[in-house]
Structures are given as structure tokens and as C-alpha cells.
Amino acid sequence: MQAMSTRCSRYRLDVALLTVFLLAGLPRLRAAEPADFILRNAKVATVDAQFSLAEAIAVRGEKILAVGKNADIAKLAGPQTRVVDAKGRLIIPGLMDSHTHPSGASLYEFDHPMPEMESIADVLAYIKSRAAVAPEGQWITTSQIFITRLKEQRYPTRSELDAAAPKHPVAFQTGPDASVNSLALQLNKIDRNFQIPNGLPGKVEKDSNGEPTGILRTSGNYFKTGNTGARNATEAERNDRLRELFRDYNSVGITTICDRNASLGAIESYQKLRDAGTLTVRVSASQGVGSQGALEKIQESIRAIAKHPLHTQADDWVRIVGIKMFLDGGMLTGSAYMRQPWGVSEIYSITDPQYRGVLFIPKDRLKPMVRATVESGLQFTAHSVGDGAVHALLEVYDELAKEGLPIRQTRACVTHSNFMSKEAVETAARLGVVLDIQPAWLYLDTRTLTKQFGYDRLRYFQPLKSIFAAGGVVGGGSDHMQKIGSFRSVNPYNPFLGMATAVTRRAKWYDGQLHPEEALTREQALRFYTINNAKLLFKEDKTGSLEAGKLADLVMLDTDILNCNEQRIRDTKAVLTMVGGKVVWETK
């Protein structure tokens, strides 16, 4: 019996050792399976923790099989492996845009093409052209043509709009604010005695005689436009336009985006493209939630979003990460909420020397909204442009963190965060609050902002270097809103323009640099659009760097942006873009 027991024990030991041996060998067996795709003779910027460089990369299925030296990666090739000689080109992780509005942007020119508008004359010419073809009384509107980017740096006046289209109501809309003509005011019953209803935020600018000038702050709360005669797209047409836009994103190396004010309809469209196998970018979504109305209903809406399957279940292609609200107006329109007054301004038609902009959500309502979001495990973010709004949101985050709420874990966010301060930078880093910033705004708007505020007041405008130095997490985006085309779009989404701006701090129509002490290094700029954005979107375990086991999202470039002349960064082209192991863009 004792001998039998001994033999059984030895048998069990032998089986156990064999099992351990076989299991230990499994990774080697898997690694020995051939790659589907190999890029060799490359300069692979992995953007891992050490920012390692490699010579080649192998992909199998949707994931990265290995990254390393040419000789080692060559051993992974099989008879069916596609091997591409990169000829020394730079390979980087797929680029990410942390702030887009693709559903609206893709349809912006569905009805008719929109010309480039860089002057008041361009704006008025467009309005006249629409008045010539639109029936009398039909609305003519424009959207997101920002006065900061017009040569005259001002709104078109009420009288100019009257002259351009005397028989049509006209609204020149630019973010939350607008300049409208006399007929548009009449139809909305806005005169010298008009009062904004129900205490809603906003302001009707008036001249020295008390008459409305036509400039309306936060116009959406009390001003309505009517039928413009524009055609409505069918579902098939909407999906076709989205696919076209996403292909253009791929053409500039973008493999992941975040829709920062997603509607349920837009989210459903992304799902349908995913299900059809035609989605070529990964989509994260901050679902838009309004801040007006009963607080309890808003909180119920937030909690309902947290239960959506696209939030509760893992999905590498489409996922709801949180919600988005609007805390203040815009710096492009003259309504961002500032800690100090804007100052009287011809540019923005500001006549009140104490005017500080518009704050949409008072603290006694903001805090319970943020609380409901964080308690639901969602990322809260709010459009916060002015330093007054940024400080207001950080104050709420700080108070809730002290109560033990998981601000850091839910990656509470500040969207735009253009005007900051040393204190704001340090607070965001301490709390683990992430920032979503758009360098293209610096590129396009510095000329006007310095004219309005002066150079010194812009010391902490997009303070990217300070954020990195403080240990904060900041990701790059575009706020792409209209048009397809990475340079022609309203708020251009070309990530190389964004990187070039972050590195040079140089702007259109502006001599010199805007606080070059806040310029990023090349390495930081690449992190800004890759691994940092992955952290903003809860994706850093799967994307954002080129490491074995991660999803094969990568781009091959025609320019070495880590070493080229800085003036060449913005003109960089994507030679090949891959998402999940599939080539979605390749130059001929």
C-alpha cells in the first residue's frame, strides 16, 4: 500500500510538472505563429514609458505581436505575411483627437458648399448669394464663423446684415453668441424693452440710445431661427458622410476620436457603422446633457447614461465614457467667463467695463450634477474656456474629492481649459483632473486675443509645458465642428498642425511666439496626441503606445517629426494608417 501511494504521488507530481511545462511553453508557441503584417527598416517611436525606439513591428490579427530589432521581427514572418520596407520612416502610435463633433461636421456642407470666409466682405457676399436664391422671408444663417478669425476682428453689424438681405431674417451665429439683422430681431420680439425670460443667462447688447445692436449673448436661450430651406439627409446619406469624414481622419493618421457632445442618435450611428464593419476610427463619447430644467431630472438622465450597455460593457470600437455640459461661453465670441473683466471692446462689441462673460451653471446646481456623474462612475466634463469657469469647475472637483468621491478614478475633465493660472494647473494635477485642449485655437486666435487682453494676461493661455511639468495629464484635440478636410475645416483637425503649434507657439497673422516658455518638446507633443489622450479616454491599457499585446493602431509618416525642422511638422503626411491590424489608409 505504501509503495502504491508513493507511485501515485510521483504520478501526480509528474503530471503537475508536465502541465507547468506545457503552460510555460504556450507563449512561445503563440509567438512562433507567423505575423500577418510586418513593418521593417523603420524608426518605431513606441511612446512607452521610456519612449523607446525600435526598428520593426509585427502585427497578428488586431494586435501588436512584437516590437524590436529587424532581425528578431523577421523571424516572425510566414509565407502569407505582408512585409513592408519602411525605408527609415517614422512609425508612431495611432493619433487621437480628444474633442470632435463628427455627426454635425460631416453634414455641414450637405445642402450646399460653404465658401471660405476670412473677412466681413466674404460673410456679406455669402449672405447676399443666399438671399438671391432663397424665398423672401426664409431664414439665412451661418454658424461658427468666428470674429477672431476675420481680418476685421469684429461682428458684421446689424445695418450690414440689413443691407445684405433686407427681406430675409439673418443670424450670423458664432458659438453661443450671434449678430442678427432687424427682421430677425422683430420676429423674436426683441426690442429696447425685451427681458430675457426666466432668469436665463445671456445679454442683449444695446447702443447708447438703449436700442439692441443686434449682438446677442447666449442667444440660444431666447432667440430662435426658422426654416432655412436646407435639405435633410436620409440615414444612409448621414452614414455615408460619416464614413467619408472618418476616412479623412484616417488620412491624417487619426485612429481614435472622442465625440465631446454626442447625441443618442450620433451614438447609434457609430454603432451601426461598427456592426456593418465599416467603422475605421474608434469612437469614445461624452454624451451631451443639458443643464437647464429640474435638477432631479438632470440627475436621473445622468444615472440612466451610466446604465447604457456602451458604458457598462467593454467595447474597443464605441464606448460612452461620460457626459458633457457647457459651463461658460466662448473666447471666440466674447462670452467666456473670466476672473477679471474683459474690458470694453470694439472687437467683441462689449460696452460694459465690468463684463466678465457668462457662466451658465451656478455652483449650487453644478455641484450636484457633478456629484451624480462621479457617483455613477462617469467622466464629467464641461466646456470651460475662461479662467473663471476653469476655477469654478476645479473648485467643485476639489470639494467633492475631499468628500471622498472618486474624482481621479473617473478622470474628471476640463474641456478647452484655455485660460488657466498657476493655481489651476497645480490643482488639476493634484486632483488627477485631466484636460482636453485644442492647440489650433492658439494658432488661429492669438492675434485677436493679444489685441484684446495683451500679451501678459495670456501667460497661462494653454500652458502645456506647465501642465506636463506639474505631472498633469493633458490631451490634444481639435473641436472639429464643420466641413470635411483637415485644414479647411472650421477648427482644423490636422494633428500635425496641432503638434507644430504646441511645439512652436506660433500663430496665423501673428509675429513671434505666444509665451514660448510653454512650448512642448517633440516627445511631449507626440504623447499629447497618443498616450495622454488614451488616458483621457480610459484606453491606455489597449492603445496609445506601440507595445506587444496592445491593439495595432499605428501610423507611418513621411517626415520624422522628432528631428525635422519645426516648420515642417505641420506639413507631415500619413503614408499608412492601421486600425486594429487593418490598413485603413495608404498612399498610392
Side-chain angles (χ1 to χ4, degrees):
M1 288 293 291
Q2 185 175 357
M4 183 180 294
S5 176
T6 301
R7 285 196 298 273
C8 288
S9 296
R10 287 175 179 170
Y11 175 79
R12 285 195 294 269
L13 180 61
D14 290 343
V15 170
L17 288 172
L18 180 61
T19 301
V20 169
F21 175 80
L22 289 173
L23 288 174
L26 279 177
R28 295 187 180 88
L29 290 171
R30 290 195 186 103
E33 294 175 0
D36 295 321
F37 187 94
I38 288 176
L39 276 164
R40 64 185 181 90
N41 296 331
K43 179 180 179 180
V44 181
T46 64
V47 196
D48 62 7
Q50 293 76 37
F51 206 84
S52 308
L53 298 178
E55 297 175 339
I57 186 168
V59 173
R60 187 172 190 279
E62 64 176 2
K63 293 185 178 181
I64 297 169
L65 184 61
V67 181
K69 295 184 177 297
N70 282 322
D72 293 332
I73 299 302
K75 297 174 183 177
L76 300 174
Q80 303 301 317
T81 303
R82 180 186 175 191
V83 180
V84 173
D85 186 346
K87 299 179 180 178
R89 292 190 178 98
L90 182 66
I91 311 296
I92 62 173
L95 297 170
M96 303 183 183
D97 191 316
S98 60
H99 192 133
T100 64
H101 302 281
S103 58
S106 61
L107 289 172
Y108 183 65
E109 294 182 296
F110 177 75
D111 184 71
H112 62 274
M114 292 292 291
E116 302 299 316
M117 298 188 210
E118 292 191 336
S119 68
I120 296 291
D122 292 340
V123 172
L124 298 177
Y126 170 73
I127 292 170
K128 287 178 182 177
S129 72
R130 298 307 300 165
V133 298
E136 185 176 316
Q138 184 170 286
W139 280 83
I140 298 171
T141 64
T142 67
S143 62
Q144 316 302 33
I145 300 167
F146 298 113
I147 58 174
T148 54
R149 301 169 188 177
L150 296 176
K151 289 178 180 176
E152 297 84 354
Q153 297 171 292
R154 66 172 176 85
Y155 283 100
T157 66
R158 175 178 171 179
S159 60
E160 286 172 332
L161 297 178
D162 285 345
K167 297 181 180 180
H168 297 78
V170 178
F172 173 89
Q173 298 168 310
T174 174
D177 305 332
S179 178
V180 306
N181 72 348
S182 297
L183 185 53
L185 288 173
Q186 291 170 17
L187 291 174
N188 279 272
K189 299 180 180 179
I190 297 175
D191 57 20
R192 63 184 299 129
N193 299 315
F194 176 79
Q195 297 293 321
I196 296 175
N198 303 321
L200 293 171
K203 190 172 189 288
V204 176
E205 296 286 356
K206 296 180 181 180
D207 62 22
S208 57
N209 296 318
E211 293 294 333
T213 63
I215 306 297
L216 308 176
R217 309 288 181 199
T218 320
S219 57
N221 285 331
Y222 54 89
F223 175 84
K224 304 298 179 187
T225 60
N227 178 35
T228 63
R231 294 180 301 133
N232 291 319
T234 64
E235 181 181 350
E237 288 170 329
R238 288 196 301 271
N239 289 339
D240 283 344
R241 298 285 285 195
L242 271 178
R243 278 189 285 264
E244 181 182 352
L245 173 58
F246 291 163
R247 281 195 297 271
D248 205 67
Y249 282 167
N250 298 149
S251 76
V252 292
I254 295 173
T255 59
T256 295
I257 61 168
C258 183
D259 184 335
R260 278 294 186 192
N261 193 36
S263 66
L264 273 175
I267 292 169
E268 288 171 0
S269 294
Y270 307 144
Q271 284 181 281
K272 289 177 180 177
L273 294 183
R274 177 203 62 188
D275 294 344
T278 58
L279 188 59
T280 60
V281 294
R282 304 187 193 279
V283 182
S284 296
S286 292
Q287 189 169 327
V289 175
S291 62
Q292 301 297 323
L295 182 58
E296 294 78 9
K297 290 187 177 180
I298 295 170
Q299 291 171 314
E300 287 175 9
S301 297
I302 292 169
R303 295 182 185 111
I305 291 169
K307 297 176 183 177
H308 195 291
L310 285 177
H311 176 70
T312 59
Q313 299 172 15
D315 190 304
D316 292 332
W317 284 98
V318 182
R319 186 161 190 265
I320 297 172
V321 295
I323 71 158
K324 161 80 175 293
M325 289 185 172
F326 288 81
L327 188 53
D328 73 339
M331 71 179 200
L332 311 182
T333 63
S335 56
Y337 185 66
M338 308 296 289
R339 292 199 292 170
Q340 301 297 324
W342 274 73
V344 173
S345 173
E346 291 184 6
I347 298 173
Y348 294 98
S349 298
I350 297 170
T351 57
D352 179 2
Q354 299 305 312
Y355 172 76
R356 292 174 53 198
V358 183
L359 190 69
F360 299 151
I361 313 174
K363 184 178 178 181
D364 62 347
R365 286 176 60 84
L366 177 63
K367 191 171 179 179
M369 293 174 189
V370 177
R371 181 191 299 278
T373 306
V374 175
E375 288 178 341
S376 298
L378 294 167
Q379 178 186 68
F380 183 93
T381 197
H383 167 116
S384 309
V385 173
D387 53 6
V390 171
H391 274 254
L393 184 53
L394 287 174
E395 182 178 298
V396 168
Y397 286 154
D398 200 2
E399 290 179 6
L400 292 176
K402 288 174 181 175
E403 293 178 22
L405 270 69
I407 295 296
R408 182 182 300 273
Q409 292 80 359
T410 56
R411 302 184 192 183
C413 181
V414 183
T415 283
H416 301 313
S417 201
N418 283 298
F419 292 87
M420 297 188 73
S421 66
K422 184 175 184 292
E423 297 78 18
V425 169
E426 292 171 349
T427 299
R430 172 172 57 82
L431 296 174
V433 169
V434 299
L435 307 172
D436 159 25
I437 292 180
Q438 299 74 47
W441 289 20
L442 187 155
Y443 175 74
L444 292 171
D445 305 307
T446 290
R447 174 190 66 135
T448 302
L449 295 174
T450 51
K451 183 177 179 180
Q452 174 64 33
F453 296 112
Y455 185 83
D456 291 343
R457 191 169 169 183
L458 298 179
R459 170 61 186 84
Y460 282 92
F461 181 83
Q462 296 194 0
L464 299 179
K465 190 77 167 185
S466 292
I467 297 167
F468 269 81
V473 176
V474 56
S478 63
D479 197 13
H480 172 220
M481 290 184 281
Q482 278 103 13
K483 298 186 179 182
I484 298 175
S486 69
F487 281 112
R488 69 182 292 271
S489 58
V490 176
N491 293 339
Y493 54 84
N494 189 294
F496 303 106
L497 172 63
M499 280 189 250
T501 302
V503 167
T504 67
R505 303 282 291 190
R506 295 186 183 278
K508 182 179 180 181
W509 293 339
Y510 179 77
D511 293 330
Q513 296 170 277
L514 180 65
H515 291 287
E517 63 270 28
E518 291 295 348
L520 295 182
T521 65
R522 312 295 181 94
E523 177 183 319
Q524 288 172 330
L526 189 50
R527 289 188 183 280
F528 185 48
Y529 277 93
T530 55
I531 192 64
N532 279 22
N533 270 337
K535 292 174 182 176
L536 258 68
L537 305 177
F538 306 87
K539 288 179 173 289
E540 73 273 22
D541 290 340
K542 292 191 173 184
T543 60
S545 62
L546 300 177
E547 301 178 76
K550 283 194 167 185
L551 293 166
D553 297 359
L554 58 84
V555 191
M556 180 163 65
L557 306 180
D558 71 346
T559 303
D560 183 353
I561 59 175
L562 297 176
N563 289 294
C564 69
N565 183 292
E566 63 182 23
Q567 299 305 317
R568 291 185 57 201
I569 297 174
R570 62 161 285 163
D571 297 321
T572 298
K573 303 289 191 300
V575 176
L576 178 147
T577 304
M578 174 180 285
V579 183
K582 180 180 178 181
V583 175
V584 294
W585 167 262
E586 191 169 7
T587 55
K588 295 181 180 179

